[in-house]
Amino acid sequence: MTVSKEPLGRRFNRLWAAYTVSAFGTRLAFNALPLTALLVLHAGPTQVAALSAAGAAVGAVAAVPLGPWVEGRRKRPVMIAMDLVRCAAMLSIPAAYALGLLGFAQLLVVSVVVGAADIAFSAASGAFLKSLLPPERLLRANGRLEATTWTTTMLGPPLGGAAVGALGPILTVTVDAVSYLLSALALRAVGSGAARPGGVPGPRTEGASGGGSGQQAADGPDPGGPKPGASGSGGPETSTGPETAKAPARPRTRAADLLTGWRFLLSDPALRPLFLNTVLVNGLIMATEPLLTVLLVDRLGFAPWQYGLAFALPCAGGLIGSRLARPLVARYGRRAVLLTTGTLRVCWLPWLALTGPGVGGFALVVAVELAMICCIGVYNPVLVTYRLDRIPADRVARVLAAWSVTSRAVIATLTALGGLLAAVAGTRTALLAAGLLALTTPLLLIGAGRAVRDAAPAPPPFPGPEVPAR
């Protein structure tokens, strides 16, 4: 595949700045809601798991109409609005705490609101990024976002853990809220811009059809123009007129529009195995988070700063992996990279069940997470870029929303099951079960090995009647 070395431009740099400040605030508040439940409300392992599961589950249900809703609106205002919603939701926690009114139910509500806003933001940011850059620059852009993810994850948790140990988790929740506000301000500074040359619509052309806008995101950040010959490139959806021109009519949100995303994912021979594998692996990894929180902080007596450091140090692997993604694809091709790193990233999870107290346990967590995250750091930007190549421009927001909703639903289900298993059989047993199940997930990549091509693919014909992007 062609990878451009041209500059990504001022508008991408501003988008990148918005992502960076939001990501750093979120990583500084690493697992802030579970830690608040554990340290402030003295919740047990079942409640901590329920908090993570409920937020993902109800957030996914609430987000079902958000894909088609986002498709019909300008993407940057949607992103700004979702940042402000998340800011307000997170600020409600320190406000309630100051008034002595904070309870577990409020943490559940905040988790749900933030989860739904996350999905809307991901769908919009993906479409916005695809409209911002030509296809040959997407891998560089996604690699840069992936590197930022791991850099902020490496720096944020130990600083947040120290802050939690000294001042409590409420402070980090407040910082997270402020980071969303700063992200909204940075997104506002991105501006409307102009259409890219060559008939490929730029961000100012975001409209009801989603023409030229679309993104390929990943389990975490997911923010590119349509490929030549791909659906949605050029044609009547291209607009180079002033932004003040009359906007297309906004669509009426229907569940059938989101079903378009699921139908596309499940009918595409290359994306289907990648989709199923990714949502299952992400669900299993995320299901271990509340279990590890309880094991390390409550059972093994790790201090909050040690807990944060145990998850921060391995993120150097993500930074290394994201830097290796482009040269590895250039040398071996993206199919080989996807299959190899997609398999290697699940080989480490079972070892977390052996975590013990003291320096030995700390070293084991760091080593396991480092190996796993290094593989993920390579896999994610390659997957995200391939997904953007594969999805027609007029369906990007709906497909990304379907992907996000499914991922969150799987995370919710597996997290809840993990919490129940931990309550019955113990935390270590639940961690071991998640790790052993993860070892079976490479079987889902067999189909991708046959279907993924190293050349940039044109999307296949869409089966059945197409639901128009109205």
Side-chain angles (χ1 to χ4, degrees):
M1 62 178 295
T2 302
V3 180
S4 171
K5 295 184 178 181
E6 295 181 20
L8 297 176
R10 182 181 63 180
R11 299 189 66 220
F12 172 80
N13 288 338
R14 290 178 177 176
L15 176 65
W16 183 27
Y19 175 74
T20 299
V21 68
S22 176
F24 183 74
T26 299
R27 300 310 184 270
L28 188 71
F30 177 67
N31 275 348
L33 296 186
L35 284 175
T36 300
L38 198 63
L39 300 177
V40 176
L41 302 180
H42 308 292
T46 304
Q47 286 179 299
V48 172
L51 180 62
S52 299
V58 183
V61 172
V64 166
L66 291 181
W69 180 82
V70 169
E71 195 83 67
R73 284 158 176 79
R74 293 184 179 275
K75 307 306 181 288
R76 189 171 60 97
V78 170
M79 294 161 67
I80 293 172
M82 294 303 103
D83 268 339
L84 295 177
V85 167
R86 292 183 289 187
C87 174
M90 297 299 287
L91 280 178
S92 72
I93 294 176
Y97 178 77
L99 297 173
L101 301 175
L102 182 63
F104 186 75
Q106 181 177 352
L107 295 183
L108 285 174
V109 172
V110 170
S111 180
V112 167
V113 172
V114 171
D118 283 345
I119 289 180
F121 186 94
S122 294
S125 65
F128 187 64
L129 179 62
K130 188 168 182 177
S131 72
L132 203 62
L133 296 172
E136 63 271 13
R137 300 186 197 175
L138 283 178
L139 183 56
R140 283 184 61 217
N142 284 316
R144 188 171 295 184
L145 294 173
E146 187 75 9
T148 301
T149 296
W150 296 116
T151 301
T152 56
T153 307
M154 184 167 53
L155 298 176
L159 295 175
V164 168
L167 301 171
I170 300 299
L171 174 66
T172 59
V173 172
T174 305
V175 172
D176 192 18
V178 173
S179 75
Y180 287 128
L181 178 61
L182 295 176
S183 173
L185 294 175
L187 286 170
R188 190 173 186 275
V190 170
S192 300
R196 292 198 305 270
V200 181
R204 78 193 304 173
T205 64
E206 302 161 26
S209 68
S213 65
Q215 165 198 354
Q216 181 174 16
D219 270 302
D222 316 289
K227 306 198 68 59
S231 173
S233 61
E237 290 179 347
T238 301
S239 171
T240 57
E243 191 171 16
T244 55
K246 183 177 179 182
R250 290 181 176 176
R252 177 170 54 90
T253 299
R254 298 192 315 166
D257 290 332
L258 189 60
L259 291 176
T260 301
W262 278 311
R263 289 173 58 221
F264 180 84
L265 286 170
L266 295 177
S267 63
D268 186 288
L271 286 182
R272 180 176 60 248
L274 294 172
F275 167 62
L276 295 175
N277 172 270
T278 302
V279 296
L280 182 55
V281 170
N282 289 339
L284 290 168
I285 291 175
M286 295 303 294
T288 64
E289 275 202 5
L291 300 175
L292 274 177
T293 301
V294 173
L295 178 64
L296 297 180
V297 178
D298 190 53
R299 301 290 190 263
L300 299 178
F302 280 47
W305 69 268
Q306 293 173 311
Y307 168 75
L309 192 62
F311 288 97
L313 292 178
C315 292
L319 185 60
I320 294 169
S322 65
R323 299 288 292 179
L324 290 175
R326 188 156 57 109
L328 286 175
V329 168
R331 180 167 183 176
Y332 299 106
R334 64 180 161 198
R335 176 171 58 181
V337 172
L338 282 173
L339 295 179
T340 302
T341 59
T343 300
L344 289 177
R345 78 198 202 279
V346 301
C347 295
W348 319 101
L349 209 56
W351 296 97
L352 291 175
L354 302 179
T355 303
V359 176
F362 178 88
L364 177 62
V365 172
V366 170
V368 168
E369 296 280 338
L370 177 65
M372 181 172 65
I373 289 173
C374 187
C375 298
I376 293 172
V378 177
Y379 179 85
N380 277 356
V382 180
L383 170 67
V384 163
T385 304
Y386 180 73
R387 185 175 59 186
L388 275 180
D389 283 339
R390 195 79 185 173
I391 303 173
D394 61 338
R395 298 190 188 99
V396 173
R398 285 172 288 176
V399 172
L400 293 183
W403 190 299
S404 296
V405 167
T406 306
S407 180
R408 288 178 177 272
V410 171
I411 289 171
T413 301
L414 294 178
T415 302
L417 291 175
L420 291 175
L421 182 58
V424 173
T427 305
R428 293 183 189 277
T429 301
L431 284 170
L432 181 60
L436 294 177
L437 183 57
L439 293 178
T440 68
T441 58
L443 295 174
L444 294 170
L445 292 175
I446 294 175
R450 294 192 295 263
V452 174
R453 296 290 179 264
D454 289 326
F462 189 67
E466 179 180 336
V467 179
R470 290 153 300 138

